[in-house]
Amino acid sequence: MQYWATATVFLALGITSTQAASPYDLPIREHVFENGLRLLVLERPGDSRVEAKIFTDMGAIHETPGLLGAAHFQEHIMFKGTPSLGTTDWIAEQAIRERMKTVESAYIEEKNRARNTVRQRGVIDDYRHATETARMRELQAELTALEKEASQYRENGALNKWYQAFGGTNLTATTEQEYMKFDINLPVERIDLFFRIEADRMVNTVFREFDQERMILVEQRLGDLNKPSTPYYVQVNAVAGMIHPVFWPEGYMTDFYEYTRTSQRALYEEYFVVNNSTIVLIGGVSLEDMIPRVEHYFGWMEAAPEPTRTPAIEPRPGAERRLIYRNDEINPRVEFRYLIPAVGHPDRPSFDVLGEIASARLRAATETAGIAATVNVNTRVVHTDRFGVPATINFELILTDANDLTAAEATLESVLSTLQSDISRDEVSTAQGTLRTQWYRTQRDASALAFQIGHFQTMDRWQTLQEYLEARDAVNAKDISRLAETYFVVDNRSVGIARPPQTTAKLEQQQ
């Protein structure tokens, strides 16, 4: 049954008009269609443009070991068009792609049959009896030839050309652990183009240039891994989280070559469904005008079975975990990570305030101790800072001198212990002021604001955004102390230490 919420967010939350003096009032209007598609509109009358985003509740936490990075790869191949966008002759191309399905099915069957032949036997040396069979090579060569044959009908960049031709700017896509989004900024009178393209992409995506995009993903990952700090953070994430996929990396080289059109099609068909999607619009449009237009492009789609949610629950930590990373390509550093609750839990907003206070105290403490350090306090795992699942708060000191590691760890432990008491009202107020300033900047940026609305919807619900911001302003000193006492305990701590190899023996002896 469809419903139409025309009230502002504070009315939707049951707050009376006398209570509606919040600086975070967002007049978000919502309409949920009969097929489950959610439309969120923040009207800005007179604005000549509209920021348009579509979020899908699917990301890296829905991947399978051995296929890590598949969600990001899905984003890449969803830019390759549809039967009506991206081809000069779909009838001819379709016949080739049907043959590709048959060939790939035979390839997968052969690979499964030859599991004992191609199975990895070693660990560090990656020993295998073989990487593939003669039949697998034959079928892969046939797939390559078919893709080349289909490419003669390829119209490159069709989606981009249509958007750009009608005034679209800032066409982007993002895949993180919990969501994928596609977005564009358009003139108000061209909003139908967004609905037409995204509805087509949702149900008709053609996986063109599959292996070319696979290699682009490989190049991107290699570029990331060539950053000296990336392998370190991969290891720290693995120590901080035992089983939950939110801590998994963006893929290993062995993963990228395991993707098949069949496995990606399964991911696409399960998650890219209308009842797993949210459209967010900010600009010179109205909910009343948008409802019939969205209905026209998406209303014919039937709700699908609810997509599978990851059943993983991170177990309560039972001991401190420590990582020693021996490397001379990155600055020496020490960091503490603590598992904290997800967005939707009443404690989560308070950690933003705590992080600001801790950051200021750590900067002062390292300066007093004569330790040259960059202070980094965040809640990031891989790329994302907030999650609808438990993750971590991270306190990192990046040093210029490895000889300061022991003192830096002691300083970090000492400062965090002070958070259990003696929190001043001024510290809390200053932290809250910093956070409010950040939010006001977000409000002025339509793209950033639309992202926050859609992200909160995928993490919990869009209404939580205002509740979250108001909760941060309500935090007091006792709340900060309670969080520190509850969460900053040794058994909930993961420690990461990066050291140059040549100083390792001396430093370990000191400890």
Side-chain angles (χ1 to χ4, degrees):
M1 181 175 182
Q2 72 180 22
Y3 65 93
W4 183 355
T6 61
T8 57
V9 61
F10 59 83
L11 291 179
L13 295 173
I15 301 174
T16 66
S17 58
T18 58
Q19 296 173 302
S22 169
Y24 307 113
D25 290 344
L26 293 173
I28 299 168
R29 305 180 68 195
E30 178 184 59
H31 182 82
V32 179
F33 295 85
E34 290 185 0
N35 58 13
L37 176 65
R38 188 179 305 273
L39 172 64
L40 302 175
V41 180
L42 202 162
E43 301 172 3
R44 290 181 170 175
D47 195 333
S48 63
R49 299 188 68 87
V50 57
E51 184 69 31
K53 300 184 189 292
I54 183 165
F55 285 78
T56 299
D57 196 345
M58 189 286 298
I61 64 172
H62 302 108
E63 293 170 349
T64 302
L67 294 173
L68 300 187
H72 184 198
F73 185 57
Q74 187 69 36
E75 173 201 317
H76 278 239
I77 57 180
M78 288 183 69
F79 266 96
K80 296 304 173 181
T82 67
S84 60
L85 288 171
T87 185
T88 59
D89 187 341
W90 172 242
I91 300 301
E93 183 186 351
Q94 183 182 32
I96 299 169
R97 297 206 171 276
E98 288 300 318
R99 296 205 303 273
M100 292 176 73
K101 290 181 184 178
T102 302
V103 174
E104 187 179 71
S105 179
Y107 174 86
I108 294 170
E109 175 69 18
E110 170 64 13
K111 184 174 183 178
N112 290 334
R113 185 198 63 76
R115 60 189 178 277
N116 288 336
T117 301
V118 301
R119 182 179 292 168
Q120 179 175 324
R121 300 292 174 175
V123 180
I124 294 175
D125 61 357
D126 195 30
Y127 171 76
R128 299 168 183 248
H129 285 314
T131 57
E132 59 187 359
T133 66
R135 179 60 175 156
M136 288 170 63
R137 285 192 294 273
E138 177 186 326
L139 291 166
Q140 184 58 55
E142 188 173 354
L143 279 171
T144 300
L146 287 169
E147 189 70 75
K148 183 177 181 181
E149 183 182 355
S151 69
Q152 66 183 300
Y153 305 109
R154 178 83 174 101
E155 182 186 357
N156 289 309
L159 275 69
N160 295 22
K161 291 175 184 176
W162 274 96
Y163 273 136
Q164 291 171 1
F166 291 98
T169 60
N170 300 323
L171 173 63
T172 63
T174 305
T175 303
E176 296 293 349
Q177 286 101 313
E178 294 183 283
Y179 67 86
M180 185 187 298
K181 71 169 175 65
F182 297 100
D183 51 353
I184 188 74
N185 186 287
L186 284 165
V188 167
E189 64 272 17
R190 300 300 186 186
I191 188 60
D192 284 71
L193 182 62
F194 173 75
F195 300 144
R196 189 266 186 238
I197 288 178
E198 298 310 326
D200 199 17
R201 187 185 338 234
M202 182 181 290
V203 295
N204 295 319
T205 289
V206 177
F207 295 169
R208 300 183 174 101
E209 300 179 346
F210 195 86
D211 288 314
Q212 293 95 317
E213 287 302 318
R214 186 201 309 272
M215 295 314 300
I216 290 174
L217 202 69
V218 168
E219 290 176 3
Q220 288 182 351
R221 184 59 175 151
L222 284 173
D224 192 30
L225 290 171
N226 282 334
K227 300 174 185 176
S229 61
T230 298
Y232 165 73
Y233 289 121
V234 168
Q235 296 299 322
V236 175
N237 287 336
V239 170
M242 290 184 65
I243 61 100
H244 201 286
V246 75
F247 297 102
W248 293 352
E250 297 173 273
Y252 297 97
M253 289 303 110
T254 49
D255 292 310
F256 301 137
Y257 297 97
E258 295 297 322
Y259 307 151
T260 64
R261 295 162 184 81
T262 302
S263 64
Q264 295 297 145
R265 179 63 59 178
L267 197 66
Y268 173 71
E269 291 182 351
E270 179 171 10
Y271 289 96
F272 288 87
V273 293
V274 69
N275 48 301
N276 197 40
S277 304
T278 298
I279 294 174
V280 182
L281 305 176
I282 297 181
V285 295
S286 70
L287 182 67
E288 289 85 354
D289 286 343
M290 293 301 102
I291 289 174
R293 295 185 182 189
V294 174
E295 178 72 41
H296 173 75
Y297 291 100
F298 293 88
W300 62 271
M301 302 178 192
E302 294 184 3
E306 283 299 316
T308 305
R309 304 305 172 192
T310 177
I313 297 176
E314 185 67 22
R316 181 184 296 273
E320 181 184 59
R321 307 162 191 167
R322 296 182 73 86
L323 167 74
I324 307 296
Y325 186 79
R326 299 171 178 86
N327 186 284
D328 57 9
E329 295 182 356
I330 64 173
N331 286 81
R333 63 196 66 201
V334 58
E335 68 173 298
F336 290 175
R337 294 191 177 195
Y338 298 90
L339 195 68
I340 63 171
V343 167
H345 188 283
D347 282 347
R348 181 59 184 83
S350 302
F351 279 100
D352 291 357
V353 181
L354 182 152
E356 293 292 333
I357 295 171
S359 183
R361 287 193 175 192
L362 282 169
R363 286 192 296 269
T366 53
E367 183 176 349
T368 299
I371 300 172
T374 299
V375 175
N376 187 10
V377 178
N378 61 74
T379 54
R380 187 175 307 112
V381 180
V382 186
H383 298 131
T384 310
D385 295 292
R386 295 193 186 102
F387 300 92
V389 295
T392 58
I393 187 168
N394 316 318
F395 304 92
E396 182 180 38
L397 298 180
I398 302 174
L399 310 174
T400 58
D401 188 348
N403 292 312
D404 287 335
L405 275 167
T406 301
E409 183 174 350
T411 300
L412 185 53
E413 186 163 16
S414 175
V415 168
L416 294 183
S417 69
T418 67
L419 296 175
Q420 297 183 16
S421 60
D422 193 29
I423 305 295
S424 73
R425 183 180 301 177
D426 284 346
E427 284 181 298
V428 175
S429 178
T430 298
Q432 290 168 329
T434 299
L435 294 170
R436 278 194 296 272
T437 298
Q438 294 171 358
W439 172 248
Y440 295 151
R441 289 172 179 162
T442 296
Q443 277 187 303
R444 289 197 297 267
D445 185 332
S447 179
L449 180 57
F451 165 74
Q452 290 294 340
I453 294 168
H455 188 191
F456 268 80
Q457 174 60 35
T458 59
M459 290 188 295
D460 188 42
R461 57 194 185 99
W462 62 268
Q463 293 93 335
T464 300
L465 174 56
Q466 180 175 335
E467 297 168 0
Y468 187 97
L469 297 170
E470 291 173 341
R472 294 196 309 196
D473 274 356
V475 171
N476 58 42
K478 289 183 178 180
D479 294 326
I480 300 300
S481 296
R482 180 183 61 79
L483 290 186
E485 291 174 1
T486 303
Y487 296 96
F488 296 169
V489 296
V490 173
D491 285 348
N492 189 36
R493 182 168 70 195
S494 300
V495 181
I497 297 174
R499 303 171 165 170
Q502 62 271 20
T503 63
T504 296
K506 178 181 177 182
L507 290 168
E508 288 181 348
Q509 189 176 20
Q510 290 176 356
Q511 288 208 340

